Amino acid sequence: MSLQDKYAELIATGNTLGIANWQVREQDQVLYLDGTAKSTADKDKLWEVYGKLDPDFRSADVVMNIAIAEGAVREYTVVSGDSLSKIGKAHGVSWQKIYEANTDIIKNPDIIQPGWKLKIPTA
């Protein structure tokens, strides 16, 4: 069984998600998957499928080099005790960028509420 057969679901998921510049190649008993995801969520979906196929990631027969498109956003759910600066520090982006990306939700940058789903821009 080739690695492309073994990981057919992972390859199909990349195709379905529309991973840009999606390249799949086998070399020296390793499957290389390269491309650019539209979002962090899409990249995470690829890792979820891979984790399902190789739960402990012990096979060491896949290398995924998946970048995230510039301007992509992640989603974060505010929890009690959060502030924009704390969230920004955790995600490597300024609180101002988070505020600007969420002016439809946040009216005052000093007041955010648990449960809000904020867009976190990539750096």
Side-chain angles (χ1 to χ4, degrees):
M1 170 189 278
S2 76
L3 291 173
Q4 291 191 32
D5 292 335
K6 179 180 177 181
Y7 293 106
E9 183 180 353
L10 181 58
I11 294 166
T13 300
N15 289 329
T16 301
L17 293 173
I19 302 297
N21 302 316
W22 187 231
Q23 296 177 18
V24 178
R25 71 184 193 288
E26 250 181 89
Q27 181 179 340
D28 301 323
Q29 285 106 25
V30 176
L31 183 66
Y32 292 88
L33 304 170
D34 302 292
T36 303
K38 296 176 205 158
S39 67
T40 303
D42 284 354
K43 182 177 180 176
D44 291 345
K45 285 177 191 170
L46 287 171
W47 281 101
E48 287 170 22
V49 171
Y50 179 39
K52 184 175 79 171
L53 298 171
D54 185 7
D56 297 320
F57 302 105
R58 291 186 184 200
S59 295
D61 56 1
V62 170
V63 173
M64 278 202 296
N65 294 309
I66 308 299
I68 299 173
E70 279 191 47
V73 295
R74 295 168 274 185
E75 188 175 270
Y76 176 79
T77 302
V78 177
V79 296
S80 182
D82 273 345
S83 67
L84 290 181
S85 59
K86 181 178 174 184
I87 296 166
K89 186 174 183 179
H91 291 91
V93 65
S94 72
W95 71 265
Q96 293 94 336
K97 295 265 186 204
I98 297 171
Y99 174 66
E100 290 167 8
N102 293 281
T103 54
D104 57 324
I105 299 170
I106 304 170
K107 301 307 173 205
N108 179 340
D110 294 324
I111 302 172
I112 58 173
Q113 301 205 359
W116 283 2
K117 293 192 184 305
L118 302 180
K119 298 177 284 290
I120 309 296
T122 57

